[in-house]
Amino acid sequence: AQSVTQPDIHITVSEGASLELRCNYSYGATPYLFWYVQSPGQGLQLLLKYFSGDTLVQGIKGFEAEFKRSQSSFNLRKPSVHWSDAAEYFCAVEVTGGGNKLTFGTGTQLKVEL
Amino acid sequence: EPEVTQTPSHQVTQMGQEVILRCVPISNHLYFYWYRQILGQKVEFLVSFYNNEISEKSEIFDDQFSVERPDGSNFTLKIRSTKLEDSAMYFCASSRLAGLTGELFFGEGSRLTVL
């Protein structure tokens, strides 16, 4: 069965600094990959997704993620973090043809210091 | 912007009681889902629902759970006899299409605490 690992439970960065959140997956083939964000009191919002093609994917709010097949990774990046980016970030995978049945990681809580 | 809404935001119940969590999906969406997150653990898929029937369910979704779309707007999750381990955040989601083209839109979640 597929699994998703987010090794960092908490990350703190200063506003304006760059950010990278790690995600590794375990699956026999290339799954569909997603990053979601959950701000306090909000639902899960889709940041970006990768299905195929260009391995560097652009998302909303200035985020991007790079799929690296050799490392089974799909790390999320942002060049300059804003205080409003403080939230919990979830990486998720979907088995090909899985009909929106997502497997999530445990999440990374991002704190932004002013 | 259309959104998925869930009620209640927080419910406290006694073990053995029945609980109904309610969701109003986005109006033109056809596929509906429940996920849950036990505190400190992963968000887990529970069930998907399409055309008034369950499409897929996880092993978590046992006979104590049921889902229903009682009218054109609501989508409910019922837990017949709650257990302590049912304490979790329950997320409803909907999508207009399934698969690659069907982005999931999640609600804010309903936190269930079973005492």
Side-chain angles (χ1 to χ4, degrees), chain A residues 27-47:
Chain A
Y27 182 55
T30 301
Y32 304 137
L33 298 157
F34 305 82
W35 274 99
Y36 283 85
V37 60
Q38 186 180 28
S39 299
Q42 304 292 315
L44 294 163
Q45 182 184 22
L46 180 66
L47 282 175

Side-chain angles (χ1 to χ4, degrees), chain A residues 79-97:
Chain A
S80 178
V81 168
H82 188 262
W83 64 267
S84 60
D85 293 325
E88 187 151 23
Y89 292 80
F90 295 92
C91 181
V93 304
E94 178 183 343
V95 171
T96 308

Side-chain angles (χ1 to χ4, degrees), chain B residues 24-88:
Chain B
V24 179
I26 295 172
S27 61
N28 65 345
H29 285 191
L30 301 175
Y31 298 83
F32 313 110
Y33 312 82
W34 284 100
Y35 283 76
R36 80 171 186 188
Q37 185 183 28
I38 296 172
L39 188 63
Q41 298 185 26
K42 301 182 180 187
V43 177
E44 304 170 288
F45 169 81
L46 290 179
V47 66
S48 58
F49 190 87
Y50 169 72
N51 200 26
N52 280 321
E53 60 183 28
I54 290 174
S55 307
E56 189 171 357
K57 59 184 181 180
S58 72
E59 58 188 26
I60 302 167
F61 195 89
D62 61 21
D63 291 344
Q64 292 300 312
F65 290 88
S66 62
V67 288
E68 191 178 34
R69 189 156 161 81
D71 52 44
S73 58
N74 290 284
F75 179 52
T76 61
L77 174 69
K78 181 193 288 187
I79 308 174
R80 218 176 319 276
S81 178
T82 51
K83 303 187 279 285
L84 295 176
E85 54 264 37
D86 294 327
S87 295

Side-chain angles (χ1 to χ4, degrees), chain A residues 16-78:
Chain A
S18 63
L19 171 71
E20 182 167 26
L21 302 182
R22 296 183 290 165
C23 172
N24 293 96
Y25 67 89
S26 172
Y27 182 55
T30 301
Y32 304 137
L33 298 157
F34 305 82
W35 274 99
Y36 283 85
V37 60
Q38 186 180 28
S39 299
Q42 304 292 315
L44 294 163
Q45 182 184 22
L46 180 66
L47 282 175
L48 46 76
K49 58 189 176 187
Y50 172 79
F51 294 152
S52 65
D54 192 347
T55 56
L56 186 62
V57 180
Q58 301 297 320
I60 62 171
K61 305 185 180 189
F63 285 92
E64 66 178 26
E66 185 171 12
F67 168 61
K68 292 186 177 180
R69 185 190 306 273
S70 61
Q71 298 176 20
S72 297
S73 70
F74 188 57
N75 293 348
L76 181 72
R77 301 195 294 246
K78 186 168 184 178

